[in-house]
Amino acid sequence: MNDLTTLRLAADPDGIARAAAILRAGGLVAMPTETVYGLAADATNGQAVARIFAAKGRPRFNPLIVHLPDAAAAQAFVHWSDAAETLARRFWPGPLTLVLPLREGTALSPLVTADLPSLALRVPAHPVAHQLLQEFAGPVAAPSANPSGRISPTTADHVAASLSGRIEAILDAGPCGVGVESTIVGLTGTPTLLRPGGLAREEIESALGLSLADHAGPITAPGQLSSHYAPGASVRLDAAEKRPDEKLLGFGPVPGADLNLSPAGDLVEAAANLFAMLHAIDDGETPIAVSPVPETGLGLAINDRLRRAAAPRD
């Protein structure tokens, strides 16, 4: 039901305090992070977490990421490990999510984990997110603030366009800097890349001194659905040129591109622009062609999002 008045809160002390009060009351707040805007709720409040799934139209088998202000807070919910300590010291706060064995007896809603025996945790680097987490002083579940399966939001306007009337507030801190969701690493056994994201695989492997395994099997973390991040129009990948009936999302020195993720071929710039440009180029009808993007560094995350955006839809 779209019957709420969605507030637009400034990212100042008053706005952050209001957002924290809304969370305590069981409400939903779209909060900025360095990756994308997240749809935040009190992770210990089952009704509030259920509202995340309802607002997004998200399937209940898809677990959520819990956001916390620091690693010490995270350790109260999971069985910590040497690998987790290494990665947390190196990359938190930042665009990295760790999946670890869930401790028994936590106050978290079972909806957060989708009844899995593991929990996804992140300490975001965005200063406004950090201030909100400190003000709220509890675990916050926060998937991307958009309808399930659609393009992720990197501005408050993206959130408002799709979720106004379904959530209590949007905490507006401008555009997100990284532009793609966090990298997810599973640490319930052999360290495994569960989802490529805003931290390059190579950096994680260097910190651990080993190669990450590749995920195979059932869903164990967010972002693993085959069709995800999709615009309204169809998407064609690895396009050498634009067809007459298409719009072209370019990468590198591509002539005739309607929009270009990075004319200079910079993968960091491309990642930051990806979702915003998909929002901008999508009219819901005209097919979108996308230039090839290298499968290295952040290109792994960009191509993961593009392949899921182009996948057949139910």
Side-chain angles (χ1 to χ4, degrees):
M1 294 178 62
N2 296 353
D3 56 1
L4 293 174
T5 298
T6 300
L7 303 174
R8 192 82 162 245
L9 303 176
D12 58 21
D14 288 343
I16 291 167
R18 182 73 180 276
I22 291 170
L23 292 177
R24 291 188 198 102
L28 304 184
V29 176
M31 72 173 187
T33 77
E34 70 276 21
T35 57
V36 301
Y37 274 74
L39 184 54
D42 179 353
T44 67
N45 183 329
Q47 289 187 338
V49 175
R51 287 190 57 215
I52 290 178
F53 287 90
K56 286 176 59 68
R58 183 184 179 96
R60 294 289 181 94
F61 59 76
N62 200 1
L64 306 176
I65 296 173
V66 169
H67 294 65
L68 294 156
D70 52 48
Q75 291 176 42
F77 298 96
V78 293
H79 295 284
W80 204 242
S81 66
D82 290 343
E85 182 68 18
T86 296
L87 294 179
R89 284 181 178 273
R90 176 69 179 81
F91 299 116
W92 276 1
L96 174 67
T97 293
L98 300 179
V99 176
L100 289 152
L102 179 68
R103 284 189 185 275
E104 300 238 347
T106 75
L108 296 175
S109 165
L111 291 172
V112 170
T113 62
D115 290 320
L116 294 169
S118 58
L119 177 65
L121 295 165
R122 182 160 99 85
V123 176
H126 197 293
V128 174
H130 184 69
Q131 291 163 34
L132 177 59
L133 291 168
Q134 287 188 311
E135 178 78 18
F136 178 66
V140 169
S144 57
N146 61 301
S148 184
R150 295 301 182 182
I151 306 169
S152 298
T154 56
T155 69
D157 286 343
H158 294 159
V159 179
S162 61
L163 293 182
S164 283
R166 301 185 190 183
I167 66 177
E168 277 75 7
I170 303 168
L171 188 57
D172 185 354
C176 303
V178 175
V180 293
E181 291 86 353
S182 61
T183 302
I184 302 181
V185 173
L187 296 176
T188 58
T190 301
T192 301
L193 182 64
L194 299 178
R195 179 182 73 183
L199 179 64
R201 176 181 192 147
E202 295 89 339
E203 292 190 60
I204 298 166
E205 291 177 337
S206 177
L208 289 175
L210 53 80
S211 296
L212 294 172
D214 293 313
H215 172 72
I219 290 174
T220 56
Q224 294 179 336
L225 294 172
S226 58
S227 177
H228 209 35
Y229 316 109
S234 62
V235 177
R236 181 171 68 91
L237 303 182
D238 299 322
E241 58 184 17
K242 178 171 68 172
R243 296 171 181 167
D245 65 336
E246 292 178 327
K247 293 181 179 180
L248 178 62
L249 182 59
F251 176 81
V254 178
D258 295 271
L259 291 174
N260 198 311
L261 294 169
S262 175
D266 184 317
L267 290 170
V268 174
E269 180 184 23
N273 286 333
L274 177 61
F275 289 138
M277 287 192 174
L278 280 174
H279 278 285
I281 204 170
D282 180 34
D283 63 11
E285 297 179 359
T286 308
I288 302 166
V290 185
S291 298
V293 177
E295 195 80 26
T296 59
L298 289 184
L300 190 66
I302 295 168
N303 283 314
D304 172 78
R305 304 309 189 269
L306 288 171
R307 281 191 287 269
R308 296 179 195 274
R313 303 170 195 179
D314 295 334

